[in-house]
Amino acid sequence: QPLQAKVIAYCVKVYYDYFKEVRTTYATETDENGNFSFQRLVPGDYVLMSIPYDKDFVPGYYKLDDYAVLKWKEATIIGVDENMIDLVFEIKHRTRGELGLTKVGGKIFSSGGGIIKSGDKLQGGTAVAGAFITVTDGYGNICDFGFSNSEGQFDLDEVAVGTQKLIADKVGFESYETYVETDYGNRANLQVEFAMEEAMVDVPESESNIFSAKLYPAPADKNLALRFESPEQARAGIALYNSLG
């Protein structure tokens, strides 16, 4: 069924250096039929996140031929170049699992902010705003979810009882996972604090070797050879794209 949602396009790799200082996160809303569109995107690699307004459906990142996933690094990368035709992406959302009455809240810091641990509390460090937090039971059902605010704080108040996996994810950071144990007694209102590690989201040009690659013969007939240099002996991944990306 069509869902109304907020859709965010995160650029995880800019193709050209002169776009590096340009805004690379874009947001839009779907219409009543669930349709959305982005225009004038900076050329680069993107992941899409969809947040339905109906909380019976779990937000997530676009995954080709699958339901939306909880981690941006598991999402399908969408390449956007300067000359592209319109492409259609269908984002499918899972429904929530069994709801509960226990609460899990806390605060998220960036690990690069000079954090000091004092007892069970973290001090210092930069708050991580906009992190996507989910709580999942042992069967993979998501009972509650939310986002951290500008101070890195989050509150989930419909968490089921039992052992739950808490996942925090944000583009530009490594995902954080931990387990929480809830019950209707002393553990009915849990508070957790943790730090998320920043991730490399753009590949330095010096490491990509794309401009040192040699193709021959040119023009090619039936066979085309590719040769490139690498600073060390290792396995290499090669992807071929047509003019439509």
Side-chain angles (χ1 to χ4, degrees):
Q1 70 182 73
L3 293 176
Q4 291 186 279
K6 180 177 182 180
V7 184
I8 305 172
Y10 295 101
C11 184
V12 297
K13 178 182 178 183
V14 176
Y15 287 168
Y16 309 111
D17 286 342
Y18 51 85
F19 283 121
K20 288 189 180 297
E21 302 303 321
V22 179
R23 176 174 63 95
T24 52
T25 299
Y26 306 83
T28 188
E29 294 180 325
T30 63
D31 61 22
E32 59 184 9
N33 296 315
N35 301 312
F36 66 92
S37 65
F38 290 98
Q39 297 179 351
R40 301 178 64 83
L41 297 181
V42 168
D45 288 340
Y46 286 81
V47 294
L48 291 179
M49 183 177 206
S50 174
I51 308 171
Y53 294 133
D54 185 345
K55 207 179 175 184
D56 286 337
F57 295 89
V58 181
Y61 302 94
Y62 166 72
K63 180 78 169 179
L64 180 65
D65 296 329
D66 202 348
Y67 285 98
V69 294
L70 305 181
K71 301 177 181 180
W72 71 274
K73 284 196 171 184
E74 296 177 357
T76 297
I77 299 295
I78 300 171
V80 175
D81 213 334
E82 292 178 290
N83 300 302
M84 290 187 65
I85 63 172
D86 290 339
L87 301 176
V88 177
F89 302 97
E90 183 180 87
I91 306 176
K92 298 185 292 185
H93 292 275
R94 300 182 187 275
T95 56
R96 295 174 69 182
E98 179 182 356
L99 308 184
L101 297 175
T102 66
K103 299 180 180 181
V104 176
K107 189 169 184 178
I108 309 173
F109 297 90
S110 169
S111 62
I115 294 176
I116 300 175
K117 188 170 184 180
S118 176
D120 294 331
K121 296 290 185 180
L122 298 178
Q123 298 179 353
T126 303
V128 177
F132 175 39
I133 301 102
T134 55
V135 176
T136 307
D137 65 20
Y139 299 99
N141 300 311
I142 300 164
C143 61
D144 207 358
F145 58 84
F147 294 85
S148 59
N149 63 19
S150 60
E151 297 179 347
Q153 298 172 339
F154 66 94
D155 289 291
L156 308 179
D157 55 12
E158 296 179 324
V159 178
V161 169
T163 301
Q164 316 285 343
K165 178 191 286 187
L166 184 149
I167 300 175
D169 188 88
K170 182 179 179 179
V171 173
F173 289 82
E174 301 291 346
S175 295
Y176 176 87
E177 295 186 14
T178 189
Y179 285 91
V180 294
E181 185 75 31
T182 60
D183 58 35
Y184 289 130
N186 295 332
R187 305 183 67 82
N189 190 351
L190 295 181
Q191 292 292 311
V192 294
E193 291 187 349
F194 54 88
M196 295 181 68
E197 180 181 353
E198 293 188 30
M200 177 71 73
V201 298
D202 198 3
V203 178
E205 182 178 307
S206 60
E207 297 293 326
S208 67
N209 293 311
I210 186 66
F211 297 109
S212 65
K214 296 178 175 60
L215 300 172
Y216 58 90
D221 183 12
K222 294 182 178 180
N223 299 297
L224 178 67
L226 182 150
R227 175 176 294 173
F228 61 94
E229 297 178 355
S230 175
E232 61 184 7
Q233 183 176 349
R235 296 180 63 86
I238 298 175
L240 301 179
Y241 296 86
N242 64 16
S243 59
L244 299 181

